[in-house]
Amino acid sequence: QRLVEPVVEPVASALAEKTEEVVAPAESIMPAVAEPPSSVGVGVAAAPLVDAPLQALDVVLAVVAHKIKRLLADMSPQKSIKALVGGKSTLQNEIVGDLHKEFGSKIPDKAEDLSLQDLAAAIGAFGGGLGKHTQAQLARLFSNKMPGGFSLSSARSTLQSVYGLGPQRQDAFLLVALTMEPSSRLAGNAEAKAWIDSATQAYATKAGISYASTSVIAGSSGGQSGAPAISSAEMEKMQQKQHEHIRQQIQVLARYAGIDTREGARLAESEQLKSAQVQAELDSIRAEIGHEFIDGMQPLFDARKARHFDS
């Protein structure tokens, strides 16, 4: 410590002088970004909707629609599984098997002959949550069709914070989204967000609901009446400008200190490129032989089932 102390102050003062010289031009170039006044209401979230339990008919319609690759709007609850598959017995048996995975012993005999509405009535109360089959299909959807980092949990978070959907309405939305599965993997978060937006509109139409922002409710209650509202897009744009300003200042200081701030990013980009190539190969294999075959050849080892013989 005694050896370092005499050197610190001169170096620090010199660095401060040089920093002021290089930062001042950068600040003169960058436009100032005004922060929004505290009285401005920012409409970035939706008011929570009253949660509604999942109905058996919602699940039945989604399972059948997903299997025969139809939108829910094209499904008729008055038709039976046999009528919807058009005499394809293999597809019919697969759908009945999927419903058994979802509901267990609640599926009646000759389920394929009942209308979907009567089948749902026969199932009755079932716990009100997603079953094994729909959970597996949603996990496959997010794993195979969504961009890296966009998980089921992040989608649920968006549904809660942006659209005000509770856990049970989220399940109902995910069933609608399952029937709108993209044909190929989405390229990035922007495409994933657009897909979520389109699915939320389809769910709102089906459920007969509308999304109200918290800023609208605050204004109607008198707490912020007359205050201008800034949309979430405008707020995000302002934040991006501020972050860009900060990044430029950091880059100026890093160049002066001889630090390569892009070294880690270049390494990450290289790894992302390799990962994208591997993912493209896996997607082509899955498209060629189907996810059922790949899922069926996964290892089933379970350490709890191991038996050891020592004699």
Side-chain angles (χ1 to χ4, degrees):
Q1 184 178 1
R2 286 195 297 273
L3 291 174
V4 173
E5 282 176 352
V7 185
V8 170
E9 291 186 2
V11 172
S13 59
L15 179 59
E17 292 175 1
K18 290 294 183 182
T19 300
E20 290 177 358
E21 293 176 5
V22 294
V23 171
E27 291 180 341
S28 63
I29 294 173
M30 289 299 299
V33 179
E35 293 187 0
S38 58
S39 62
V40 173
V42 181
V44 296
L49 295 166
V50 176
D51 218 359
L54 196 60
Q55 301 298 317
L57 182 59
D58 297 332
V59 183
V60 171
L61 283 169
V63 170
V64 178
H66 181 250
K67 196 70 174 184
I68 63 177
K69 295 179 172 57
R70 286 191 191 178
L71 296 175
L72 285 177
D74 301 329
M75 297 291 294
S76 172
Q78 284 72 39
K79 288 188 176 181
S80 66
I81 295 173
K82 182 179 290 185
L84 289 167
V85 300
K88 298 176 181 177
S89 59
T90 302
L91 182 58
Q92 171 183 299
N93 293 337
E94 288 178 358
I95 292 174
V96 174
D98 292 342
L99 291 172
H100 273 288
K101 291 179 187 175
E102 186 73 14
F103 295 106
S105 60
K106 288 183 172 292
I107 299 298
D109 294 335
K110 301 294 182 180
E112 64 274 11
D113 294 327
L114 298 175
S115 69
L116 300 185
Q117 194 168 13
D118 291 341
L119 175 58
I123 293 171
F126 65 99
L130 298 176
K132 291 182 178 180
H133 174 71
T134 50
Q135 287 181 17
Q137 293 303 309
L138 286 168
R140 181 192 57 79
L141 167 63
F142 278 84
S143 174
N144 298 339
K145 300 298 177 67
M146 295 297 111
F150 193 84
S151 63
L152 181 57
S153 60
S154 61
R156 284 188 179 274
S157 176
T158 299
L159 295 173
Q160 175 71 49
S161 61
V162 178
Y163 296 98
L165 299 181
Q168 296 179 97
R169 285 197 181 274
Q170 290 173 26
D171 288 344
F173 160 82
L174 289 169
L175 291 177
V176 175
L178 186 62
T179 65
M180 301 172 63
E181 179 177 349
S183 58
S184 59
R185 182 182 294 275
L186 301 181
N189 286 342
E191 290 188 8
K193 184 179 181 299
W195 176 75
I196 288 285
D197 289 342
S198 63
T200 53
Q201 296 309 313
Y203 170 69
T205 301
K206 178 181 179 298
I209 61 172
S210 59
Y211 307 110
S213 65
T214 52
S215 61
V216 172
I217 291 181
S220 63
S221 65
Q224 292 184 355
S225 58
I230 296 180
S231 67
S232 58
E234 291 173 344
M235 188 57 160
E236 185 176 350
K237 186 177 180 181
M238 293 172 63
Q239 290 175 341
Q240 287 176 350
K241 286 183 179 179
Q242 290 177 333
H243 293 163
E244 180 61 26
H245 181 45
I246 294 171
R247 277 194 295 268
Q248 289 196 9
Q249 290 184 337
I250 292 174
Q251 289 171 1
V252 170
L253 293 172
R255 283 198 298 270
Y256 175 77
I259 299 173
D260 184 5
T261 58
R262 286 281 301 160
E263 182 179 3
R266 279 193 292 270
L267 179 60
E269 289 168 0
S270 175
E271 293 300 322
Q272 287 175 356
L273 180 60
K274 293 177 182 177
S275 176
Q277 291 173 343
V278 172
Q279 188 62 59
E281 293 176 358
L282 292 175
D283 289 344
S284 64
I285 294 172
R286 185 176 291 272
E288 178 68 24
I289 62 178
H291 66 84
E292 291 90 355
F293 179 79
I294 294 178
D295 294 342
M297 60 184 290
Q298 297 304 309
L300 297 177
F301 174 76
D302 187 343
R304 295 173 300 177
K305 298 179 181 179
R307 297 293 179 267
H308 303 277
F309 300 93
D310 58 0
S311 173

